[in-house]
Amino acid sequence: MQARRAAEVAAGTAEPLKIGVLISGSGTNLQALIDRIADGSLNAQVVMVISSRPSAAGLKRAADAGIQTLALSKELYAQDPWVADEVIATELKHAGAEYIIMAGYMRKVHEPLLALWPNRVVNLHPALLPSFQGAHGIADAYARGVKVTGVTVHFANEVYDQGPIIAQEPVRVEEGMTVDDLEAAIHAVEHRLYPQVVQLLAEGRVTVRPDLTVSIATA
């Protein structure tokens, strides 16, 4: 697919990349994507936003932008996470999603999604993987006293937080920073870096090598 996208970009015929976005909370990274699409710096279209929580504020952001939404219940996840992913996969396939973008989605993805979108499910992690994996990357890095942490964008696979790394950017932990200060600094980088990575995907410049490292073609 990336080769096809690259050829279409070179020919000037590339349509906006169709993305489905998965959220669980406030949706600030979703908003960053929506804003960059609106200002023309991101050649993409959000075809659907799916939330793991019906109360997620990000659903309103999507609705305000005229994007179709779906919210799943915690009971569905508790019953069988695979069934939840089958529902998500069915809806996103029907919507025509070419890539799945996890934007603060606090659930592990499984085979129903990974098989349909191999190396096309993208996740954002608030630390420099492989360090500080898991749901508390910012707090864990801060508690460890690191001087540099950061943001990682990677492809999701069957092993949590261990998929091929697409991009990373460091964030310095300045003297006197609180954990809230660090979180704000991390989020500021996320809101800039994530749309840039999705634009790389839209331009067909991202390739996963056989050894599961990632190559970024020059523009």
Side-chain angles (χ1 to χ4, degrees), residues 99 114 117-122 155-157 164 201 208-209 212:
Y99 275 83
L114 297 173
W117 290 275
N119 290 326
R120 285 186 284 146
V121 179
V122 186
F155 289 113
N157 62 16
L201 298 172
V208 179
R209 301 184 182 100
L212 300 184

Side-chain angles (χ1 to χ4, degrees), residues 41-190:
S41 61
L42 174 54
N43 186 28
Q45 175 191 358
V46 182
V47 295
M48 176 174 276
V49 170
I50 298 180
S51 174
S52 65
R53 294 172 55 240
S55 61
L59 289 169
K60 184 177 186 305
R61 295 179 188 271
D64 288 346
I67 301 168
Q68 182 181 359
T69 63
L70 173 67
L72 303 184
S73 68
K74 65 180 180 181
E75 289 78 16
L76 180 59
Y77 286 99
Q79 175 185 348
D80 190 339
W82 278 64
V83 171
D85 276 11
E86 287 173 349
V87 171
I88 293 170
T90 298
E91 294 298 326
L92 290 177
K93 183 179 180 181
H94 181 73
E98 297 171 285
Y99 275 83
I100 312 305
I101 307 300
M102 300 166 69
Y105 184 67
M106 303 305 291
R107 298 281 182 174
K108 187 178 184 295
V109 293
H110 301 88
E111 190 68 16
L113 284 166
L114 297 173
L116 281 178
W117 290 275
N119 290 326
R120 285 186 284 146
V121 179
V122 186
N123 188 42
L124 183 69
H125 185 74
L128 294 176
L129 294 176
S131 298
F132 305 109
Q133 300 176 28
H136 308 289
I138 297 174
D140 290 346
Y142 185 85
R144 182 63 180 83
V146 300
K147 304 307 180 185
V148 178
T149 182
V151 175
T152 301
V153 182
H154 67 99
F155 289 113
N157 62 16
E158 65 279 359
V159 185
Y160 198 74
D161 285 341
Q162 293 189 30
I165 292 171
I166 307 168
Q168 291 183 304
E169 184 168 325
V171 174
R172 294 192 63 83
V173 184
E174 304 292 350
E175 194 67 31
M177 260 189 172
T178 66
V179 68
D180 289 339
D181 294 334
L182 179 58
E183 183 173 1
I186 291 282
H187 289 331
V189 171
E190 290 177 345

Side-chain angles (χ1 to χ4, degrees), residues 28-42 61 195:
T28 58
N29 278 298
L30 166 64
Q31 189 65 57
L33 295 170
I34 292 171
D35 291 346
R36 298 293 76 76
I37 290 170
D39 71 19
S41 61
L42 174 54
R61 295 179 188 271

